[in-house]
Amino acid sequence: MSKEAKHGVAEAIAADLRDAIERGEYGPGDQLPGENALIKEYGAARLTVRSALGMLQAEGLTTTRRGVGVFVRSFDPIVRNGISRVSARKWKAGRSVWDDETRGRRPTVDHIEIVPEAEAPGDVAAIFDSTEEVATRRRRYLLDDKPVIVATSYLPASLVAGTRILEEDTGPGGIYARLADLGQAPAHFREDILSRMPTKAETEELAIPAGTPVFVLTRTAVTEAGDPVEVNVMVMDAGAYVLRYDFDA
Amino acid sequence: MSKEAKHGVAEAIAADLRDAIERGEYGPGDQLPGENALIKEYGAARLTVRSALGMLQAEGLTTTRRGVGVFVRSFDPIVRNGISRVSARKWKAGRSVWDDETRGRRPTVDHIEIVPEAEAPGDVAAIFDSTEEVATRRRRYLLDDKPVIVATSYLPASLVAGTRILEEDTGPGGIYARLADLGQAPAHFREDILSRMPTKAETEELAIPAGTPVFVLTRTAVTEAGDPVEVNVMVMDAGAYVLRYDFDA
């Protein structure tokens, strides 16, 4: 058989399995038929069957557990409500941005890195519109033992020097409540969302499965006077999130 | 050399090129050194060099033009302001949601498909909370001759039967202005954003380069009385968009 014909067979097998997944015949977390079963069912070569399974994985429909088999990706996402999670009502009451969105599942920080003074990366410096040094808080969050997000906050170093913002535990209401204590409460937010494939370092740090992109969400907090006081660059496993925005016409 | 050692060399070459791109030595649209130049510079085999270039493409950093070479991806995105683009002020004034966000570049619809009555897909039916038939408007938009988004609007078939919403040109202010004419003006919106790798059909319809995900953005428009009147499912080339949300604390 020609290479093109084999490719056609692989596509046909992939299309059958894709349809079965979309019909719900194989649900989230279900195991697909193994290579041997597919070889028998379609009378196809092993490499052809592998190629078909590879197509489904590249589309993000399935994940492979080595030595076990191929499974329909299960998607029990964090629904991240961009607007209500950072409402002043919330942080003024000392609540966490996570309170509503993980339906009882508690995310944990397993790694935190605080640098009191550093040069801002170019895109962050452009937002602050200054060459001033920044303090950074970089933390990784796990949900159900899986890393889901690495968030790096940048704040003007001179503003936050000696404050609880540079301690591991920033206290009730977090960074925004502490900025309010300093008379620099955030009044407006901008969130800019990109999506792209992860770098090798991101794949490792977030344990991202093959065929899964990342969201890169940059949130800028601005005071009533119009001064940016925090830029938070979040790199998120896109397979773990739905980003939600509710607003009025 | 072992397979592992070759992989190590490919990673080292990829890391060098990645650093050079991040330092700005090669800017957006610039051509990277060709295979022959890299083979000479690193004393590596052709397959090793190709593997290195493949890593950069898989990360979405570069694009390949067949027979020409490898180029740093240029990114001149549409900045889509989710909230202001659908403000009532705008569509009541008869303006298009595109007016502000493409900085003078005019998107064009090159394909539109209107179906007055059809069964709603499962996830859309769940939002309408009904088994009623839906009307669909499906259109593809090009920007600078490149397809960037396929948007499919679903509306209750009985509500929009015989209205301009089912004509190609929906008139000034578009669908939302026509819904307002019917006494069903949208008052609240919800946008839910996913990102994943494109299916084969999406790759073809949006001419998506290798290593680029799609955004799937589902917007639900709800009246003041709480009735959903439109669900718009948008599949977007993630390499063409920044999704922006501006809101208050």
Side-chain angles (χ1 to χ4, degrees):
Chain A
M1 203 181 334
S2 72
K3 199 175 157 186
E4 286 68 29
K6 276 185 194 158
H7 187 70
V9 173
E11 284 199 346
I13 298 173
D16 274 5
L17 291 170
R18 195 185 293 116
D19 287 349
I21 292 169
E22 282 168 5
R23 279 198 311 272
E25 197 172 312
Y26 302 106
D30 283 358
Q31 185 165 9
L32 292 188
E35 282 181 14
N36 290 336
L38 292 169
I39 288 166
K40 204 168 161 190
E41 181 174 350
Y42 289 93
R46 185 169 301 273
L47 279 179
T48 306
V49 164
R50 281 195 188 156
S51 163
L53 292 172
M55 290 175 192
L56 299 178
Q57 175 165 307
E59 292 171 14
L61 281 177
T62 59
T63 53
T64 302
R65 292 187 220 148
R66 259 169 218 267
V68 185
V70 175
F71 295 81
V72 180
R73 176 163 299 176
S74 59
F75 188 57
D76 181 16
I78 300 164
V79 179
R80 177 189 185 279
N81 195 314
I83 296 174
S84 70
R85 76 199 303 273
V86 291
S87 84
R89 201 162 19 107
K90 200 158 180 179
W91 45 262
K92 283 183 180 159
R95 288 163 65 207
S96 149
V97 296
W98 293 91
D99 281 350
D100 297 323
E101 64 193 23
T102 50
R103 287 159 292 150
R105 297 178 293 167
R106 291 301 305 174
T108 54
V109 174
D110 79 324
H111 183 75
I112 183 162
E113 198 184 311
I114 297 168
V115 179
E117 276 195 58
E119 203 179 318
D123 45 346
V124 172
I127 295 174
F128 281 123
D129 192 21
S130 116
T131 53
E132 211 208 334
E133 301 262 288
V134 289
T136 65
R137 287 181 63 89
R138 185 175 195 282
R139 56 273 195 213
R140 182 171 80 163
Y141 293 90
L142 309 183
L143 190 66
D144 302 337
D145 296 326
K146 158 78 178 69
V148 289
I149 179 171
V150 174
T152 308
S153 288
Y154 301 88
L155 303 109
S158 58
L159 175 65
V160 301
T163 72
R164 200 157 168 189
I165 289 172
L166 299 188
E167 291 177 29
E168 287 219 359
D169 177 3
T170 53
I175 293 179
Y176 293 153
R178 297 297 79 71
L179 284 169
D181 296 345
L182 295 167
Q184 300 285 322
H188 310 291
F189 293 100
R190 163 165 292 179
E191 298 201 338
D192 277 339
I193 305 163
L194 303 178
S195 178
R196 57 167 171 73
M197 293 312 284
T199 63
K200 189 159 174 286
E202 289 164 350
T203 301
E204 285 167 7
E205 188 165 17
L206 288 168
I208 294 179
T212 307
V214 287
F215 284 122
V216 183
L217 196 163
T218 302
R219 180 175 66 224
T220 305
V222 177
T223 63
E224 199 55 65
D227 299 316
V229 281
E230 188 218 25
V231 176
N232 190 343
V233 180
M234 297 164 243
V235 179
M236 312 156 87
D237 178 345
Y241 280 93
V242 173
L243 305 182
R244 169 168 293 179
Y245 295 87
D246 287 319
F247 52 94
D248 296 331
Chain B
M1 204 180 334
S2 72
K3 199 174 157 185
E4 286 69 29
K6 276 185 194 155
H7 187 71
V9 173
E11 284 201 341
I13 298 173
D16 274 6
L17 291 168
R18 194 184 295 115
D19 287 350
I21 293 168
E22 282 169 7
R23 279 197 313 272
E25 199 173 309
Y26 302 106
D30 285 356
Q31 186 166 9
L32 291 189
E35 282 183 13
N36 291 334
L38 292 170
I39 288 166
K40 205 170 160 191
E41 182 177 347
Y42 289 94
R46 187 168 301 273
L47 279 179
T48 306
V49 163
R50 281 195 187 155
S51 161
L53 292 171
M55 290 174 192
L56 298 178
Q57 176 165 307
E59 292 170 14
L61 282 177
T62 59
T63 53
T64 301
R65 292 187 219 148
R66 260 168 217 264
V68 185
V70 175
F71 295 80
V72 179
R73 175 162 300 177
S74 59
F75 187 58
D76 181 17
I78 299 165
V79 179
R80 177 188 185 280
N81 195 314
I83 295 174
S84 68
R85 77 199 305 271
V86 290
S87 84
R89 201 162 20 107
K90 201 159 179 176
W91 46 261
K92 282 182 182 161
R95 289 162 66 207
S96 148
V97 297
W98 293 92
D99 280 351
D100 298 323
E101 64 194 22
T102 49
R103 286 159 293 148
R105 296 178 292 168
R106 291 299 306 176
T108 54
V109 173
D110 79 325
H111 183 76
I112 183 162
E113 198 184 312
I114 297 169
V115 179
E117 276 195 58
E119 202 179 321
D123 45 349
V124 173
I127 294 174
F128 281 122
D129 192 21
S130 118
T131 54
E132 211 208 333
E133 302 262 287
V134 289
T136 65
R137 286 180 65 86
R138 185 175 195 281
R139 57 274 195 210
R140 182 171 80 161
Y141 293 90
L142 309 183
L143 190 67
D144 302 338
D145 296 325
K146 158 77 179 69
V148 289
I149 179 170
V150 174
T152 309
S153 289
Y154 301 88
L155 303 109
S158 58
L159 175 65
V160 301
T163 71
R164 201 158 168 188
I165 289 172
L166 299 188
E167 292 177 27
E168 287 218 358
D169 177 3
T170 53
I175 293 179
Y176 294 153
R178 298 297 78 71
L179 285 169
D181 296 345
L182 295 168
Q184 300 285 323
H188 310 289
F189 294 100
R190 164 167 290 179
E191 298 200 340
D192 276 339
I193 305 162
L194 301 180
S195 177
R196 58 167 171 73
M197 292 314 283
T199 63
K200 188 158 174 288
E202 290 163 349
T203 300
E204 284 166 9
E205 188 164 18
L206 289 168
I208 295 180
T212 307
V214 287
F215 284 122
V216 183
L217 195 162
T218 303
R219 181 176 64 226
T220 305
V222 177
T223 63
E224 200 55 64
D227 299 318
V229 282
E230 188 218 24
V231 176
N232 189 341
V233 179
M234 298 165 243
V235 180
M236 314 156 88
D237 177 346
Y241 279 92
V242 173
L243 306 182
R244 170 169 292 178
Y245 295 87
D246 287 318
F247 52 95
D248 295 331

